């Protein structure tokens, strides 16, 4: 939950840049995988980092996608672990969101929270927990900018 609050949400809300999110993750002892010795490209749009003990993964990415027929710039920061499932990640998300009136749970989606923004036609921020077949559960903070 601390990583989501200190790295992912500031990145999703654009309070931290891509590089700033990586620095914040490094400050929390996240590193690039030991086998990955390739330097990051100057214009890298995604990076995956692991915790020092190897239990947690952090993926930071940005790029343009099409959302309901409109081009949107999306920044995503996701946390996952091979030891924690979607239920535990959902609890972590609830800790981050707490009883803050700016966050609301999406109807019909028990693992998704939307943040009320002053200009919803310009940007949206949400947290969701996803889990797919043959994939580990991910708690992600995502900022969508139209």
């Amino acid at each position: 939950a601390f990583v989501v609050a200190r790295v992912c949400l500031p990145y999703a809300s654009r309070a931290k840049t891509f590089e700033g999110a990586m620095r914040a993750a490094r400050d929390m002892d996240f590193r690039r995988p030991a086998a990955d010795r390739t330097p990051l490209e100057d214009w890298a749009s995604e990076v995956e980092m692991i915790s020092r003990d190897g239990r947690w993964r952090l993926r930071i990415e940005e790029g343009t996608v099409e959302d309901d027929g409109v081009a949107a710039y999306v920044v995503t920061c996701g946390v996952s672990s091979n030891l924690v499932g979607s239920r535990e990640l959902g609890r972590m998300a609830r800790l981050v969101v707490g009883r803050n009136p700016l966050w609301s749970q999406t109807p019909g989606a028990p693992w998704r929270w939307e943040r009320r923004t002053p200009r919803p036609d310009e940007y949206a921020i949400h947290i969701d927990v996803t889990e797919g077949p043959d994939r580990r559960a991910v708690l992600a903070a995502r900022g969508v900018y139209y």
Side-chain angles (χ1 to χ4, degrees):
F2 197 64
V3 173
V4 174
R6 295 288 179 147
V7 179
C8 292
L9 280 176
Y11 178 63
S13 66
R14 302 307 287 161
K16 286 191 188 297
T17 63
F18 185 77
E19 295 80 11
M22 285 181 19
R23 277 192 302 276
R26 283 190 191 111
D27 289 345
M28 298 179 77
D29 288 334
F30 277 85
R31 304 285 183 254
R32 291 181 61 204
D36 188 358
R37 299 279 185 227
T38 59
L40 280 178
E41 298 175 18
D42 288 339
W43 300 103
S45 61
E46 66 183 56
V47 65
E48 190 161 327
M49 303 173 87
I50 59 171
S51 62
R52 185 167 294 208
D53 62 7
R55 295 179 180 174
W56 293 92
R57 292 192 181 274
L58 178 69
R59 183 176 177 90
I60 304 169
E61 57 188 318
E62 60 186 5
T64 304
V65 297
E66 192 157 317
D67 185 28
D68 292 333
V70 176
Y73 184 72
V74 177
V75 295
T76 306
C77 178
V79 178
S80 64
S81 174
N82 56 352
L83 302 175
V84 176
S86 59
R87 187 173 301 260
E88 286 296 318
L89 290 176
R91 285 188 198 125
M92 287 182 207
R94 281 191 198 102
L95 283 173
V96 171
V97 172
R99 297 186 187 273
N100 188 327
L102 294 178
W103 288 93
S104 62
Q105 200 162 16
T106 304
W111 301 107
R112 184 178 178 116
W113 294 264
E114 301 280 338
R115 182 179 170 117
R116 197 175 356 219
T117 61
R119 295 181 303 277
D121 56 329
E122 292 180 22
Y123 69 99
I125 299 172
H126 62 267
I127 294 175
D128 58 2
V129 177
T130 56
E131 186 173 33
D134 299 329
R135 289 188 10 213
R136 64 176 77 195
V138 177
L139 167 58
R142 184 168 289 119
V144 182
Y145 298 85
Y146 303 101

